[in-house]
Amino acid sequence: MTAPAPTTQRLRRERVPAVLVLEDGRTFRGQAYGAHGETFGEAVFNTGMSGYQETLTDPSYHRQVVVMTAPHIGNTGVNDEDPESRQIWVAGYVVRDPSRVPSNWRSRRSLDEELAAQGIVGISGVDTRALTRHLRERGAMRVGIFSGPALADEAALLARVNEAPEMKGADLCAEVATTEPYVVPAVGTKRFTVAAIDLGIKAMTPQRMAERGIEVHVLPANSTIEDVYAVEPDGVFFSNGPGDPATADHQVAVMQGVLARKTPLFGICFGNQILGRALGFGTYKLKYGHRGINQPVQDRTTGKVEVTAHNHGFAVEAPLDKVSDTPYGRAEVSHVCLNDNVVEGLQCLDTPAFSVQYHPEAAAGPHDAAYLFDRFVELMRGDQAQHSVDSMAGAPARTTTGS
């Protein structure tokens, strides 16, 4: 029997040289993985051992080159059910040992094929352990990946990398968010309506709310306070997303409008940073960030320790040891990272609002934090009950449209 001819995919994977160049001059050589060419972004590492498809399609990774610390990537291929958004958002992808043959009953194509089809330049055969240790010591930094015709003298490639924009000061959420509102209907009986500001929302987030009887109106990142209350929400949600929260002045102003009206509010990741700014706290860039599905966080309101999914390079600067006075009442840090004491959540004590820095929708990741969606439901239920009491007592109902 004649052996089958090698496929185009196998030929591409065999030995096309590629090089990764960090802005401090360190280089790593390997083979092209995915598309050939060049790409630039911020080099970050992800410690998850699974869930690479959800990671790739998470809009929070926009303009970042993701280094996977797990050595073997791609073994379950790519399916059509698990993407968290309409496309792959990472700027580049770095793996050590890509799977030669994907094996999963849902797989439709290999990861290499998917990266190539979407134009994502990657590199394989890299010592990702050494690269991760370098980033842990030096911090996240600009990087370029070059393969095929993009290869050139290393000095010239380094100059290209240092011309790329930095993540600090980057205003990116509008680049990944929806441009038109859409609705995710409640599963079963509708109990609440939520206005969700899309700053880079993942598909599983409104799905988790829909499972709890919430009709979710997903709104563009630049929506106004009038747009939010036009849907007559029982609650307002601010999603995850990419970029520097110091650039999100518009979203901070909208959130302050929600806080002033005392509408139940929930934010995750970028939404947590926006709540921090809305309350008067600062934000800052972490040295190398938190990315992965195995980050330990303590819920200080219960003492419980959770294993959580993270993807953030910025954090809120708020006091861990006291309750703070803000323009919207008292607030405190509700969650903290046990690795480095980074603020992982905020809770308002006089206003129905809270947020966390991580991803409770568990895509990809553990389900330890799923209770946070139930906490949001309880806030909205309590608000509805208060409206009912006010109405029965003849008190003026609290408006949701006035200032």
Side-chain angles (χ1 to χ4, degrees):
M1 176 179 283
T2 304
T7 65
T8 303
Q9 185 64 27
R10 285 176 181 166
L11 288 172
R12 177 171 65 242
R13 189 182 289 143
E14 279 180 356
R15 285 290 175 185
V16 176
V19 62
L20 180 150
V21 181
L22 293 167
E23 71 171 90
D24 65 358
R26 185 160 184 187
T27 63
F28 292 81
R29 294 191 174 275
Q31 293 80 48
Y33 188 56
H36 300 169
E38 65 180 30
T39 190
F40 303 91
E42 180 185 48
V44 300
F45 58 87
N46 183 296
T47 59
M49 296 184 68
S50 63
Y52 59 79
Q53 191 169 338
E54 293 91 338
T55 293
L56 288 165
T57 55
D58 180 352
S60 297
Y61 281 113
H62 180 42
R63 250 179 56 184
Q64 291 181 318
V65 172
V66 177
V67 180
M68 298 300 295
T69 61
H72 196 207
I73 299 295
N75 56 322
T76 57
V78 172
N79 62 55
D80 296 324
E81 294 78 44
D82 291 346
E84 283 300 310
S85 64
R86 62 185 181 273
Q87 67 181 72
I88 293 176
W89 285 105
V90 303
Y93 204 47
V94 185
V95 302
R96 178 166 187 160
D97 183 20
S99 174
R100 291 171 292 175
V101 179
S103 178
N104 185 273
W105 68 274
R106 294 194 300 151
S107 178
R108 296 292 179 267
R109 52 204 168 272
S110 73
L111 177 54
D112 189 11
E113 289 172 324
E114 187 71 2
L115 292 170
Q118 296 201 34
I120 306 302
V121 175
I123 184 172
S124 65
V126 168
D127 185 347
T128 50
R129 185 169 181 263
L131 176 53
T132 298
R133 287 173 63 90
H134 188 80
L135 295 175
R136 278 181 60 91
E137 293 168 1
R138 308 292 180 87
M141 64 182 76
R142 289 171 295 178
V143 67
I145 301 175
F146 308 89
S147 60
L151 288 173
D153 176 78
E154 285 190 11
L157 298 181
L158 178 59
R160 298 285 309 282
V161 171
N162 283 300
E163 291 171 357
E166 296 183 346
M167 188 59 67
K168 188 173 182 178
D171 185 2
L172 302 178
C173 59
E175 296 181 11
V176 301
T178 183
T179 57
E180 297 294 333
Y182 63 92
V183 177
V184 178
V187 176
T189 303
K190 175 186 171 182
R191 301 167 62 197
F192 305 101
T193 300
V194 163
I197 306 298
D198 179 4
L199 308 172
I201 200 167
K202 296 163 73 175
M204 189 57 71
T205 302
Q207 178 61 32
R208 290 288 183 241
M209 288 190 271
E211 292 167 358
R212 289 162 170 80
I214 300 172
E215 179 180 276
V216 185
H217 293 249
V218 182
L219 306 178
N222 59 0
S223 296
T224 65
I225 193 72
E226 290 78 18
D227 296 329
V228 169
Y229 284 97
V231 306
E232 300 182 355
D234 298 299
V236 180
F237 174 80
F238 282 74
S239 82
N240 60 288
D244 187 343
T247 66
D249 292 343
H250 172 78
Q251 290 78 20
V252 169
V254 172
M255 183 176 282
Q256 288 173 332
V258 176
L259 292 170
R261 291 160 175 77
K262 293 187 179 294
T263 304
L265 184 148
F266 179 26
I268 68 170
C269 203
F270 204 74
N272 177 68
Q273 296 158 11
I274 291 174
L275 178 58
R277 285 197 57 199
L279 294 174
F281 300 124
T283 58
Y284 65 100
K285 194 173 190 306
L286 294 168
K287 183 176 181 179
Y288 47 80
H290 299 160
R291 295 172 184 88
I293 57 177
N294 49 9
Q295 307 285 332
V297 168
Q298 184 177 42
D299 183 344
R300 302 174 89 190
T301 66
T302 64
K304 178 183 176 183
V305 177
E306 307 159 11
V307 178
T308 61
H310 277 60
N311 176 13
H312 68 110
F314 294 85
V316 175
E317 193 167 20
L320 299 176
D321 57 352
K322 68 175 184 178
V323 174
S324 300
D325 292 319
T326 80
Y328 305 97
R330 297 167 300 147
E332 65 181 359
V333 173
S334 59
H335 295 72
V336 64
C337 181
L338 296 180
N339 284 334
D340 53 15
N341 286 328
V342 166
V343 173
E344 293 288 349
L346 298 168
Q347 177 174 272
C348 295
L349 303 179
D350 302 312
T351 301
F354 73 102
S355 60
V356 292
Q357 186 58 63
Y358 49 96
H359 292 241
E361 82 293 328
H367 294 261
D368 292 23
Y371 70 92
L372 292 166
F373 292 105
D374 298 319
R375 188 174 289 182
F376 189 32
V377 167
E378 289 302 313
L379 275 186
M380 291 188 287
R381 179 183 291 141
D383 192 62
Q384 284 187 347
Q386 186 60 52
H387 275 285
S388 178
V389 169
D390 289 344
S391 177
M392 292 176 62
R398 288 175 290 164
T399 180
T400 60
T401 56
S403 58

